[in-house]
Structure formats: structure tokens, C-alpha cells
Amino acid sequence: RQPIMTLTAEQTTTLPFPIGCPVWYANVSSNNEGTEAPILKRGTVVSVTLVDKSSPWVYTIEHREGEEVVSDDVLESGVCFSDNCPVQVFPKKFSRVDPPLNDSKDEGIVMFGVISLKGENRYTVMIPNKDSPETRFEENVEEGRLMFRKPPQEILAGNGEEEDQVQANRKRARGRPT
């Protein structure tokens, strides 16, 4: 089906997995016995589209298979934050849908996630202390409390051109080991 709308990079910043976000995603493929089995793949979101008004967002995710760059279209329910994904961590009483009015969120890095088929993904997040060399780990963090954040070098390097950002994301996806 043809998409109704493809979002710009800026428009995706309010979504759970905006353009440039490193993710794990479920992809179903046939195994040697001819049965279908879910396979997790790691990639980078390169575009987000709406196929019809009653459907969830469809994420186009690129990953490497050897020297080849492959893209898959995945529904939001099949996507989760990847390890080493830079995130903002909202306090327990808030979420990315209802963010706090002040700056009471932490910056962290997803260490790993526990992926749930019921869509209740949980993560362990490393949160460095900005004022000391100490680091804390927060376990069992609900996905709704996390929001992707660009690493500082990407923020400084960006020139605001959306097409440049998409191309940079594609190049980054091609250079990542799988």
C-alpha cells in the first residue's frame, strides 16, 4: 500500500523511535524446517510513514547483512531501543507522552532491554552523574519513560537540513557492525 504521509526528521522527534534512533526489531523469517521464527535485528530508523489512518506508524529500518545494506518496514509494536542507544530518562511519575515541565530528566544509555511480546519492554539504563565520576544503573525502566536523544557530536555536527540528516543516518547504519 502507498503511504498516506511520510514524516520529516523533525516531525519524528516526538515519536518513540525518531529518525537516527538505533533499534532492535523483530523480523519473521523461515528457518530450515520451513516454519516461521522471529529473529531480532539491530538497525537504525531512516524513515517513518503512516500507511492508513487506523494503522500504527511504520518504521523503515536499515541494517547490514555483510556488505549489503537492507531495509525493513516494521510496525511500531515490533521495535525497541537498542543497546548503547542514548536516551532521556523521565521520572517514574512522568513519561515522554506527558513530560515534566522542568528539566527533571536524566541522560542515559540503554545497556540492554528485556523485550516482551506483550509490548511491555523494560530496560536497564546507565545514568552517569554529571557532577562526579559515579554512574548509577536503573533497572526495569518502562519504555514510556525513555526518549531517544541525539549524542552531543550529532547535535553539534547537524546543519538543520533534513535530507542531510537522513543520508547521514543511512551512512551510519551502513558502517555499523551487526
Side-chain angles (χ1 to χ4, degrees), residues 1-71:
R1 296 185 302 191
Q2 289 288 68
I4 293 176
M5 171 177 38
T6 299
L7 299 181
T8 65
E10 186 177 330
Q11 290 171 323
T12 67
T13 58
T14 59
L15 296 178
F17 312 104
I19 289 176
C21 183
V23 295
W24 285 105
Y25 64 100
N27 194 4
V28 178
S29 65
S30 297
N31 60 20
N32 292 338
E33 291 82 41
T35 59
E36 291 188 344
I39 296 174
L40 280 179
K41 294 184 179 182
R42 185 174 193 267
T44 302
V45 176
V46 293
S47 75
V48 183
T49 57
L50 183 64
V51 177
D52 71 47
K53 293 176 184 172
S54 62
S55 298
W57 295 107
V58 176
Y59 291 84
T60 301
I61 302 168
E62 287 187 349
H63 71 278
R64 291 177 53 85
E65 289 184 5
E67 295 297 315
E68 185 180 357
V69 176
V70 179
S71 66

Side-chain angles (χ1 to χ4, degrees), residues 88-91 93-105:
Q88 292 177 344
V89 184
F90 293 94
K93 59 183 175 178
F94 295 102
S95 71
R96 69 173 169 257
V97 202
D98 182 26
L101 297 175
N102 57 21
D103 278 341
S104 63
K105 57 191 173 291

Side-chain angles (χ1 to χ4, degrees), residues 8 13 17 42 58 62 81 92 120 125 128 136 160 166 176-178:
T8 65
T13 58
F17 312 104
R42 185 174 193 267
V58 176
E62 287 187 349
F81 292 108
K92 289 183 181 178
E120 301 167 357
V125 181
R136 70 181 164 92
V166 171
R176 284 206 172 116
T178 56

